[in-house]
Amino acid sequence: MCSTFPRCFPRRSCRSYRVNDLSAPFLACWSRFTTWRRMRTQSGSSTTGTSNSSPEQTLRAGGKWFKKFWRSPTAQTNNNGSSTTDGHPSPTEAEKPVVNPNFEECLEGQYLFEAAQLLIDREKHLFGEITEADAIKAHEEGVKKLAADQKALEKRIEQTVQQSLSLSSEEEWSALTSAVKAINLEEEQDQLWRQRCRTPPAWRPKKWKEHHDKVLHELVYSRLENPSSPTGDQVNLSSIQADIQSMGRQLKEDMQWVVEVVKNCYPPEMDICNFYARQYHQTFSARLRKIADFVLDDKDCSFLLRWVKEFYPGILEKPELASNINTEELGNLLPDELLKPLEEQYLSKQQSDLMIFIGRVLDEAKKEWDQGKEPTRDDGCYVSPVAYDVIQFINGIVTSAHITVRDPHKAQKITSNLTDFMQRYKEFHEDIIRQNKRHSKAFIKANLSCVKQFRDFLITESHLFPKNVRENCLRGLTEMKQSAHTYLLTPVHKILKPHYKKVGTSDWLKKNTFEKLLNSTEEELRELQGLTQSCHQELIGQLQQEMTVEYVRRLLKGEVKLKDKDRQLMAYMTVKENAERLHNLFARMGSKQDWLKEIQTKMAEVLKLQDIPAIQMQIVSVGSAYPDLSEKHVSALLKLKTNLSKADRKIIKTTLSDTLKESRADPGTRTFFSKVEVR
């Protein structure tokens, strides 16, 4: 600069002079001086004006040094290897003047924030108070140049933002970070101009943030319009399914990229993850709405619905996305008016498929029955695949539908016709019993295992069924179990009937009579083998109860007369011993009906007791435990003791009536005597 420049002005601040107060030479020197001061100021501070770091530190990005800015472009090297400038030896490295990069160099190096800062500085300078003719002309030229540079920077920033989802190097990552800073800087400058009472430049406001959002919207649209998904995964998919899957995969990959990479290029206040999420959600939703408007076949309908209700929410629920995105604000991909018909079509198809699949299972069982085949054995037990296969179909289809429609009550529609299947199964079961073929017992034993499995499934997985369907199915299964028990136990009772007739007679007091009953019972119990453990336990438990009922019925028939204390004591010993031996036999076979022995023992005690109050207490004990004990039962029992007067029997029965009034209301008590018929 001019070496005489400092002597051209008094010592007061040069800034106090106005441009029109100066002559042409002084004006030229003034222009050079202000330029020199600005460069010195910039070289001694960061681009943001908040630190004292060197320009070299300021312009470092992505770990690369912008070294070419720190050498004078006019520097030459002499023959001695020393550097010269304009023919004079250059100063030492420490004394070399620092030269900031100009706008073009910043733009070329992708230092977009620094480039924006330079343009803003030029804008501030150009739009100050200029009145001198020469200065005005220079101003106009500067404005044109600045406008051109503004467009160049805007274009470069737009290109950088467009590459947000395909950053492949550290330099591109740094460029995006710098571009975002430049956008925010320009937003601040727009705001400053709004606050000034002066005419802004033609390019203000720039609205770069708004333009940034528009660019990203178009970017998201183009990526979902032309997704880059592997074609190998689209084999056997319809065109609609392939289109949906490609968009979904692209959305998933891009959102993962946003939260892992792009997020780090933006300040937190820009909330870029949620911005991208909204763009992808809205674009994906718009595309799916167009697809949903078509009349879709069942497979396409199911595929679309699963993406809307299952796969897409599953993507957003991944931890890395869920921690950065407010999924609740996004809402549903499809509105209810489009979603409801899709759900109805999907659920109807699932219901139809279920009934077809389980119908085939039953048809296969019928086919084996018609061919005379016995059910297979597993560990000695007859088993049927009907229950297992049907349960797998129900559990799989309904559970999957629950996940898809995200509503357990809607998913229950699939099993609404299950009662029809159970009715068919029950009819098949009854037909086996009615035909009574050689292999009928084996099939019924296998069916009992299926009934148990179905019952447990309906109880433990009740949420899969409408309440009325579950109750109807359970009722039908109970009837099937009872008919199976009757079919298997009726032959047993038929063989034991001659031995039953001895109970309660004079011969009954002889031990060998009941011994024959026990021996025959044990033989028949062996014929009931072939059931699963739980089913076998239930069956022999029912046999034990029916034999006990028959025993008590025969005893109360009153054929034996206990005229004195000795015969009553003998009857007491006989009933008690019979109860013990019958219990031991069934317990050895696996029965858990211990309470049946107690009934016979309590009745035996009544036969032994001679004191009226003691008899009253014993009757009360029996009536409290079994509220279905009636006066008829008590009267028949007391008539066995022929030494009791009619008045004594009346007193005892009155005591029972008072007891029953208090205990009948308890629902937890067992019933037994209601099965014992007394004339």
Side-chain angles (χ1 to χ4, degrees):
M1 63 180 293
C2 176
S3 60
T4 61
F5 179 75
R7 295 192 297 273
C8 296
F9 295 93
R11 294 191 61 82
R12 62 185 176 136
S13 172
C14 295
R15 294 179 183 178
S16 63
Y17 290 94
R18 296 183 61 83
V19 175
N20 57 354
D21 293 335
L22 305 177
S23 63
F26 286 152
L27 184 62
C29 287
W30 164 254
S31 175
R32 295 170 63 189
F33 174 72
T34 54
T35 302
W36 173 79
R37 281 180 60 86
R38 185 170 67 254
M39 293 179 64
R40 292 284 294 177
T41 300
Q42 292 176 350
S43 67
S45 62
S46 68
T47 55
T48 59
T50 58
S51 69
N52 295 321
S53 59
S54 70
E56 185 176 8
Q57 292 171 320
T58 301
L59 293 174
R60 185 174 64 181
K64 293 186 65 179
W65 295 91
F66 207 177
K67 292 183 178 179
K68 67 178 182 177
F69 293 151
W70 317 127
R71 293 195 298 270
S72 171
T74 59
Q76 300 174 352
T77 304
N78 60 20
N79 295 332
N80 297 327
S82 61
S83 176
T84 62
T85 305
D86 296 333
H88 299 285
S90 65
T92 64
E93 288 296 324
E95 296 174 344
K96 284 183 179 180
V98 178
V99 180
N100 281 335
N102 59 28
F103 170 76
E104 287 76 10
E105 290 168 327
C106 285
L107 198 63
E108 180 184 354
Q110 302 248 54
Y111 298 93
L112 306 179
F113 172 73
E114 289 76 8
Q117 184 67 65
L118 290 175
L119 296 187
I120 288 175
D121 289 344
R122 285 165 60 188
E123 181 180 276
K124 292 178 181 177
H125 173 69
L126 286 170
F127 288 87
E129 296 182 5
I130 304 295
T131 57
E132 189 70 25
D134 291 342
I136 291 174
K137 182 178 180 181
H139 168 80
E140 292 176 350
E141 293 177 354
V143 169
K144 291 180 180 179
K145 180 64 170 64
L146 179 57
D149 289 345
Q150 293 280 12
K151 289 184 178 180
L153 177 60
E154 181 177 358
K155 182 178 180 181
R156 181 61 59 87
I157 288 178
E158 180 177 330
Q159 293 172 346
T160 302
V161 172
Q162 286 174 338
Q163 297 174 356
S164 297
L165 299 178
S166 56
L167 303 177
S168 58
S169 66
E170 187 176 354
E171 288 75 12
E172 292 180 352
W173 179 87
S174 299
L176 178 60
T177 303
S178 185
V180 172
K181 291 173 65 178
I183 290 170
N184 287 331
L185 184 65
E186 290 291 351
E187 284 291 300
E188 294 174 4
Q189 191 66 13
D190 282 347
Q191 186 63 28
L192 290 175
W193 273 106
R194 292 188 187 96
Q195 296 171 359
R196 295 174 182 171
C197 299
R198 294 164 56 186
T199 302
W203 53 79
R204 293 289 176 191
K206 288 187 175 180
K207 298 182 180 181
W208 276 10
K209 176 61 170 60
E210 182 179 321
H211 185 58
H212 161 273
D213 294 350
K214 182 180 178 182
V215 169
L216 289 188
H217 172 76
E218 294 173 351
L219 173 63
V220 169
Y221 179 84
S222 66
R223 290 182 74 84
L224 290 189
E225 188 72 19
N226 302 290
S228 57
S229 294
T231 56
D233 293 343
Q234 298 180 358
V235 178
N236 299 325
L237 296 181
S238 68
S239 59
I240 290 178
Q241 294 171 23
D243 191 23
I244 295 172
Q245 180 163 294
S246 297
M247 288 190 292
R249 285 182 179 273
Q250 189 70 64
L251 181 150
K252 177 183 177 181
E253 293 171 2
D254 288 354
M255 284 307 305
Q256 287 178 334
W257 179 261
V258 168
V259 300
E260 292 172 4
V261 178
V262 178
K263 170 188 173 183
N264 300 315
C265 300
Y266 284 77
E269 59 270 16
M270 291 189 74
D271 197 17
I272 193 63
C273 292
N274 274 310
F275 177 82
Y276 268 104
R278 288 191 295 272
Q279 297 305 310
Y280 273 103
H281 181 87
Q282 293 166 6
T283 305
F284 195 32
S285 174
R287 289 294 305 277
L288 295 185
R289 288 184 187 212
K290 292 181 180 179
I291 294 174
D293 283 336
F294 290 103
V295 177
L296 303 176
D297 63 27
D298 291 330
K299 289 185 178 180
D300 288 344
C301 169
S302 175
F303 196 85
L304 172 58
L305 190 62
R306 294 192 72 184
W307 261 103
V308 171
K309 303 283 282 188
E310 181 180 352
F311 301 146
Y312 178 68
I315 292 173
L316 300 182
E317 289 169 2
K318 290 184 177 295
E320 59 269 24
L321 295 185
S323 59
N324 290 281
I325 296 173
N326 187 344
T327 56
E328 292 183 0
E329 290 185 354
L330 297 178
N332 295 324
L333 275 175
L334 293 179
D336 289 342
E337 58 267 22
L338 291 177
L339 199 58
K340 187 175 179 180
L342 290 175
E343 288 180 344
E344 290 178 351
Q345 181 179 351
Y346 168 77
L347 292 173
S348 295
K349 181 62 167 63
Q350 298 304 303
Q351 181 189 57
S352 175
D353 287 347
L354 175 63
M355 296 307 295
I356 291 172
F357 296 150
I358 63 179
R360 289 173 181 171
V361 172
L362 186 57
D363 290 341
E364 187 64 27
K366 288 181 177 180
K367 182 179 178 181
E368 292 190 357
W369 159 255
D370 292 336
Q371 292 174 351
K373 296 181 180 179
E374 276 197 351
T376 57
R377 280 180 176 258
D378 182 12
D379 197 21
C381 302
Y382 290 108
V383 293
S384 167
V386 172
Y388 178 83
D389 291 345
V390 170
I391 288 172
Q392 291 301 308
F393 280 126
I394 294 174
N395 195 49
I397 293 177
V398 179
T399 300
S400 177
H402 180 192
I403 296 172
T404 299
V405 300
R406 300 214 164 193
D407 187 330
H409 296 292
K410 290 180 180 179
Q412 287 179 353
K413 177 184 178 181
I414 297 174
T415 58
S416 59
N417 291 337
L418 189 62
T419 307
D420 297 338
F421 167 81
M422 283 298 176
Q423 182 61 35
R424 286 186 59 206
Y425 188 39
K426 182 182 176 184
E427 290 172 357
F428 171 53
H429 176 82
E430 292 172 347
D431 192 46
I432 294 173
I433 293 174
R434 184 171 55 255
Q435 294 187 38
N436 194 25
K437 293 183 178 180
R438 175 186 55 81
H439 57 308
S440 288
K441 285 187 178 180
F443 258 89
I444 293 302
K445 290 176 181 179
N447 280 357
L448 274 175
S449 176
C450 290
V451 168
K452 180 71 166 57
Q453 293 177 64
F454 277 133
R455 187 176 186 84
D456 291 344
F457 181 61
L458 285 163
I459 293 173
T460 57
E461 305 296 330
S462 59
H463 62 282
L464 302 179
F465 312 93
K467 184 179 179 181
N468 65 317
V469 171
R470 185 172 66 92
E471 291 176 349
N472 290 335
C473 289
L474 286 172
R475 190 179 303 111
L477 291 170
T478 299
E479 293 171 357
M480 287 177 66
K481 183 180 80 169
Q482 192 57 51
S483 65
H485 284 188
T486 301
Y487 175 69
L488 295 174
L489 296 181
T490 296
V492 176
H493 290 301
K494 186 176 181 180
I495 292 173
L496 297 179
K497 187 174 181 180
H499 303 293
Y500 290 152
K501 291 181 178 181
K502 301 291 184 180
V503 176
T505 65
S506 299
D507 292 340
W508 160 66
L509 296 177
K510 301 174 183 179
K511 293 183 179 179
N512 63 336
T513 300
F514 194 74
E515 186 76 27
K516 293 179 180 179
L517 174 61
L518 291 177
N519 292 337
S520 296
T521 302
E522 188 169 3
E523 290 178 7
E524 293 305 315
L525 286 175
R526 293 192 185 97
E527 293 297 321
L528 298 178
Q529 300 295 326
L531 289 159
T532 59
Q533 182 179 356
S534 59
C535 294
H536 182 260
Q537 189 178 97
E538 288 184 3
L539 180 63
I540 64 173
Q542 181 164 333
L543 176 59
Q544 183 183 0
Q545 183 173 346
E546 291 177 356
M547 287 185 66
T548 305
V549 167
E550 184 64 19
Y551 184 96
V552 173
R553 188 183 73 81
R554 293 283 179 174
L555 180 62
L556 296 183
K557 204 170 181 181
E559 292 186 10
V560 64
K561 302 299 181 183
L562 308 176
K563 298 178 180 179
D564 52 33
K565 180 179 178 180
D566 292 339
R567 285 185 67 82
Q568 291 173 15
L569 183 59
M570 183 183 296
Y572 158 75
M573 295 296 294
T574 301
V575 173
K576 187 176 180 182
E577 182 183 355
N578 292 168
E580 188 69 32
R581 295 188 66 184
L582 189 64
H583 167 74
N584 291 339
L585 172 61
F586 277 95
R588 191 168 69 250
M589 293 297 179
S591 175
K592 302 296 183 183
Q593 305 295 329
D594 299 339
W595 60 282
L596 294 170
K597 181 181 74 171
E598 179 184 285
I599 293 175
Q600 293 171 285
T601 303
K602 287 180 178 292
M603 293 178 66
E605 289 289 337
V606 174
L607 297 177
K608 181 183 72 169
L609 295 172
Q610 301 299 313
D611 189 46
I612 298 301
I615 296 174
Q616 284 180 301
M617 291 182 62
Q618 187 63 24
I619 292 296
V620 168
S621 175
V622 177
S624 299
Y626 307 99
D628 59 342
L629 178 68
S630 68
E631 291 185 12
K632 282 187 175 183
H633 294 115
V634 174
S635 180
L637 180 60
L638 294 178
K639 283 182 179 180
L640 296 177
K641 299 166 68 74
T642 56
N643 58 346
L644 281 178
S645 66
K646 187 175 182 180
D648 291 338
R649 293 199 300 267
K650 185 175 181 181
I651 292 173
I652 296 171
K653 288 190 290 184
T654 301
T655 304
L656 174 66
S657 298
D658 295 338
T659 302
L660 295 179
K661 289 178 182 178
E662 300 176 0
S663 59
R664 283 189 187 280
D666 187 357
T669 54
R670 284 193 176 99
T671 59
F672 174 82
F673 288 97
S674 57
K675 300 179 179 70
V676 180
E677 295 182 2
V678 179
R679 294 180 181 178

